[in-house]
Amino acid sequence: MSAQHLRRAAEPRAAEPPLVAMEGIVKRFDRVTALAGVDFDLRPGEIHGLLGENGAGKTTLMNILYGLLQPDAGTISFAGRPVEIRDPNDAIALGVGMVHQHFMLVPTLTVVENVLLSERRAGVVLTRRHVAAVAEELKACAERYGVDVDPSAPVWRLSVGEQQRAEILRALYQKARVLILDEPTATLTPFEAEQLLPRLRAMAAEGTAVVFITHHLDEVITHTDRITVLRGGRVVATLEPRETTTRELARLMVGREVAGFAVGLREAPAARGEARPAAGEAAAPALELVGVEARGPMGNRALQGVDLSVRPGEIVAVAGVEGNGQAELEEVLLGLRPVSAGRVLLGGLDVTGASPAERLQLGLGVIPSDRYRRGLVRALSVADNLVLDRIGERPYGTALRINGQSILETARRLIQRFSIQVSRPEQQAGQLSGGNAQRVVLARTLSRDLRVLVAAQPSRGLDVGAMEFVWGQLAAQREVGVAVLLISADLDEVFALADRCHVLYRGVLVAAWERSEFDRERFGLAMGGVLEEHVESEAAAASGRSLRA
């Protein structure tokens, strides 16, 4: 059944009164107004897309509905009755469930044990009989909604897609009448995303109202019933998908026209021609990994025999679903994780045992996958963060003295050059939106003289405007001859930027293609561990069975 047909089946619910009505919601953080009188309503059985730039207020609005934040003004009504949601327990009691972008599961516990944590907090005495009963109820719930996950499985053994389904299952078990999903497809393979979205429609068909926060505009157009766009803490539009396009939604979000490649207008590889000639096609690789192996945090073989190279003036991507060795690869390249075998070469020099500082001195730049944990020190000012990797170098300071004036002068220059939205250079980095935080990381990294740039998930969680900026900066680095290694779970990003691509699955590079060979279905299968030879052998076997019949 098509998405359009499923949406038409849900249209009669539009005549029903709102299940949730938020009116005049205001939220301030110090001098920043995050929400300035927002009205938002949610009908039973609809999938409502919520869009906006980073810092537009969409997550703040949903955190208020879930009780994580309190509004400074405004009212909330549930099923026509005014309510006060003081904390998540109040929200859950009303039937509001939220699946956060960063999952809130305890890895060492099973799925059922994670579900029971909320009952434990409520003072329920857990017995083996009660745990077994909940496990059976979870299985029934999983079968009813097609949420395929084993309730008895430890969370650390689950794939990213299975962990997300566990979060959704927990919300459904709690009898969620409203399900808030924050970037639900950000860490999924294309195949997993295609499986998830119809399941949301099945939930909506039974009356569940779904809030769908995403930066993938094509998903909003295809799978939602209504769309609300926030900009600067205000509602700029509420409309139906048939009334708009991805380009128009991007313009509403950002307030200006956005390049087509950043809004889901995917150019085919053929349209861009063959893979562009690298600046040094015959030159030696600027970055090379030879037979690299490394252990993960649990002692597992996180990387196995990784061989890859990046020449000056090209972007080579490593695609894959998170949890397949990308984090360990990033740490190995920066020198934060030792290798158990193999070598890392930078400009022909063996840096396998070199420290992060030594690698930076040799021209390595890194945009880390976690901008807050590895890219910024939240408690420090934006100015200090912009020179964090050079704080002991002249003119910023010495071992005995910090030159605050030089730091401020450089900060003002970089803030202007990279269009970082801050109240002042002394503002704390922890107060920045995701897009502006990423601009600080980019500004610090790209203001150095680079030979190699490792960009790990550089646009994750960013809106289309910030994404356009980040992609433009990576392309500019390629043009000046920097070798760029892009580690990404986002196929749109890979297709927009990469000249060559490898797929990493369970620590092994299982496939490699030139740009002229890029194909979304081929990539999606490889990211899920299904290789072309497996598909071909299965097809041949099926053909043989057909002939024998």
Side-chain angles (χ1 to χ4, degrees), residues 43-127:
R43 299 166 183 160
E46 77 166 340
I47 300 178
H48 196 133
L50 186 57
L51 301 179
E53 287 187 278
N54 296 107
K58 54 190 185 296
T59 299
T60 299
L61 184 67
M62 290 300 101
N63 282 340
I64 288 173
L65 180 57
Y66 192 59
L68 291 171
L69 294 173
Q70 297 302 305
D72 296 316
T75 61
I76 303 175
S77 298
F78 202 92
R81 179 173 58 88
V83 295
E84 183 179 357
I85 305 177
R86 294 161 297 186
D87 55 40
N89 287 329
D90 286 346
I92 292 170
L94 288 168
V96 180
M98 186 168 185
V99 177
H100 301 267
Q101 183 177 355
H102 304 288
F103 304 145
M104 302 293 192
L105 298 169
V106 179
T108 54
L109 299 181
T110 65
V111 173
V112 67
E113 288 168 345
N114 271 277
V115 168
L116 287 167
L117 281 177
S118 57
E119 292 195 4
R120 185 80 172 174
R121 287 194 299 269
V124 174
V125 177
L126 300 182
T127 63

Side-chain angles (χ1 to χ4, degrees), residues 317-321 326 455-459 486-491 493-494 527:
V318 175
V321 181
Q326 294 93 328
Q457 317 294 353
S459 67
L486 172 66
I487 303 172
S488 180
D490 187 341
L491 282 188
E493 186 165 65
V494 171
M527 289 167 70

